[in-house]
Amino acid sequence: MNDSHDCPDAAPDGTPAAPAAPLAGVRVLDLATLFAGPLAATMLGDFGAEVIKVEHPRKPDPSRGHGPAKDGVGLWWKLLGRNKRNLTLDLSTPGGRDVLLRLAAEADVIVENFRPGTLEKWGLGWDRLSDVNPRLVLARVTGFGQFGPYARRAGFGTLAEAMSGFAAVTGEPDGPPTLPPFGLADSVAALSTAYAVLTALHGRDRTGRGQVVDMAIIEPMLTVLGPQPIWYDQLGYVQPRTGNRSTNNAPRNTYRAADGRWLAVSTSAQSIAERVMRLVGRPELVEEPWFGTGAGRAEHADELDAAVGGWIAERDSAEVIAAFEKAEAAVAPINDVRDVLADEQYQALGSITEVEDDELGTVRMQNVLFRLSETPGAIKWAGRRHGADTDAVLAELGLSAGEIAELREGGAL
């Protein structure tokens, strides 16, 4: 099994044991499906929270079937379901509802992404949940939030990428708005939800009471898009599509080296821009009046791109990277996943790790999101089989074998 970024296990020779994970003792019920809610729960589990994944007994989380599979085993699920125990429960049945309330009474957090009103329809709304556990934090992750004219619409990350303004500024100036080829809005919402849950838990430590987290996937994307609203509010400025260029600085683009490798260059800092132009043999441009500001350089992006792109095109990528490093300028290769796995910096950080899996053997996946020096996170196992821990979790809840069998016969499990 992996332990985060090669932090050593406690030694068996009597040396002090490693500190408990920072979220040890926090119990999370993950009722959500697909990406934003479940990924938030994964992030909590990576740092020690006990996460119980609750899936419908006959309709598993669709992420199990998303994307490529090996031998019928969904690979995305291995990442998304890591560090989670798996329980099947039909929350629309009386038996499923009763079990959920018993689990909620001992939980710290519930993460769900049903359409607003669904939990209430099942008799599992906030009033009921907080009644059985006043310290509970309920994270509700939906496309549009719990209220407003769009609240009951079907909502996915793609819609957030469109509505937030992200797609409008992404792509070439003369091309169509562009959507990302991965779950960007869901991932940003997952990070935001994990942060919100920890904030609510910290607040509970002061007040003694839990609360509801209302996370609308359309909102975190607004935050990561930066100052667009205030630009428009104060200046009437609408950010255009600029491709790989920036309206705030230049040169900033992708350039192809002589060996065919694409490289990205950034000059957000004035000093870096000056170093790049001296490196590529155009020091006279640094003396131009317009070169002194990022906006001024952006207005002359054609000239700057021609200088940088022409210089890079005459050299192999390794030579370019070495020269930029020596000049203390900023450059990076455009990696695909093969390059990422071979990259020496990612290897040094332990960003990709190996995890043992009972279905696929050893699998490689992203490590925990960050390193903590004293209480590191860990990946204990990859995503488990559907319902793998149902009997064990219910037995720990105090249900007898007969009661579990009765629930299963009645369709609750």
Side-chain angles (χ1 to χ4, degrees):
M1 295 295 176
N2 152 273
D3 62 351
S4 172
H5 299 285
D6 299 323
C7 290
D9 293 326
D13 59 1
T15 55
L23 298 181
V26 175
R27 173 172 278 199
V28 179
L29 303 179
D30 175 10
L31 312 185
T33 56
L34 290 175
F35 307 116
L39 182 56
T42 301
M43 293 173 181
L44 299 174
D46 283 351
F47 286 90
E50 178 194 355
V51 182
I52 299 174
K53 173 72 176 181
V54 179
E55 296 179 82
H56 193 283
R58 292 163 293 281
K59 293 180 286 186
D61 188 326
S63 66
R64 290 181 178 272
H66 248 67
K70 180 180 179 182
D71 300 330
V73 178
L75 299 178
W76 202 334
W77 169 253
K78 289 299 176 183
L79 174 68
L80 193 62
R82 74 189 191 190
N83 289 339
K84 300 178 183 181
R85 303 173 77 193
N86 283 82
L87 166 71
T88 59
L89 208 59
D90 185 345
L91 301 180
S92 69
T93 66
R97 180 194 64 217
D98 292 344
V99 170
L100 193 279
L101 289 172
R102 292 179 65 171
L103 287 167
E106 298 182 4
D108 297 283
V109 180
I110 291 178
V111 182
E112 63 96 359
N113 70 335
F114 301 107
R115 290 198 196 186
T118 301
L119 283 185
E120 287 75 9
K121 178 181 66 176
W122 294 335
L124 295 170
W126 173 240
D127 290 347
R128 186 73 181 100
L129 291 171
S130 61
D131 183 54
V132 301
N133 184 353
R135 292 175 57 80
L136 184 68
V137 170
L138 174 63
R140 315 194 77 167
V141 186
T142 58
F144 305 105
Q146 294 296 307
F147 56 92
Y150 302 167
R152 292 184 179 271
R153 289 185 182 179
F156 296 100
T158 297
L159 307 188
E161 291 147 8
M163 287 181 59
S164 64
F166 172 83
V169 299
T170 305
E172 293 300 323
D174 56 351
T178 303
L179 296 167
F182 67 100
L184 176 61
D186 281 305
S187 299
V188 175
L191 286 161
S192 304
T193 301
Y195 163 56
V197 164
L198 295 177
T199 301
L201 289 174
H202 185 70
R204 186 187 70 177
D205 290 342
R206 293 190 300 142
T207 66
R209 292 193 61 83
Q211 58 186 302
V212 175
V213 172
D214 180 2
M215 178 60 66
I217 296 175
I218 61 171
E219 290 186 303
M221 287 298 294
L222 286 175
T223 296
V224 301
L225 283 169
Q228 287 191 31
I230 196 170
W231 281 344
Y232 180 73
D233 174 66
Q234 295 297 303
L235 303 172
Y237 175 73
V238 178
Q239 182 176 335
R241 285 193 293 282
T242 56
N244 291 324
R245 288 179 172 178
S246 169
T247 56
N248 303 312
N249 64 81
R252 191 262 197 183
N253 213 326
T254 60
Y255 309 92
R256 196 170 191 175
D259 58 3
R261 188 78 186 271
W262 287 92
L263 305 170
V265 171
S266 175
T267 58
S268 296
Q270 178 69 25
S271 59
I272 299 294
E274 294 173 4
R275 290 171 195 163
V276 169
M277 300 320 298
R278 293 189 177 105
L279 172 64
V280 302
R282 297 296 305 275
E284 75 280 3
L285 294 177
V286 176
E287 305 305 320
E288 294 287 347
W290 50 262
F291 197 90
T293 66
R297 296 197 308 275
E299 291 176 358
H300 292 79
D302 286 342
E303 184 176 2
L304 296 175
D305 273 347
V308 175
W311 186 88
I312 289 176
E314 296 174 351
R315 293 160 175 82
D316 285 350
S317 57
E319 180 185 352
V320 173
I321 292 172
F324 267 70
E325 184 174 359
K326 183 177 180 180
E328 298 184 357
V331 68
I334 305 294
N335 287 341
D336 65 20
V337 67
R338 296 166 295 187
D339 304 314
V340 168
L341 293 178
D343 188 281
E344 60 184 3
Q345 182 61 29
Y346 281 126
Q347 290 177 354
L349 294 174
S351 305
I352 302 295
T353 190
E354 293 186 346
V355 181
E356 293 299 320
D357 180 67
D358 63 357
E359 292 182 285
L360 299 175
T362 301
V363 297
R364 286 189 289 180
M365 63 176 64
Q366 297 94 322
N367 211 328
V368 300
L369 191 59
F370 48 85
R371 287 163 293 283
L372 295 179
S373 63
E374 301 300 323
T375 56
I379 303 171
K380 294 172 285 187
W381 58 79
R384 289 170 57 73
R385 300 172 193 266
H386 181 229
D389 305 293
T390 298
D391 287 16
V393 170
L394 296 184
E396 292 166 10
L397 197 60
L399 276 69
S400 67
E403 289 173 312
I404 295 172
E406 185 177 341
L407 285 169
R408 185 166 279 117
E409 184 177 342
L413 304 182

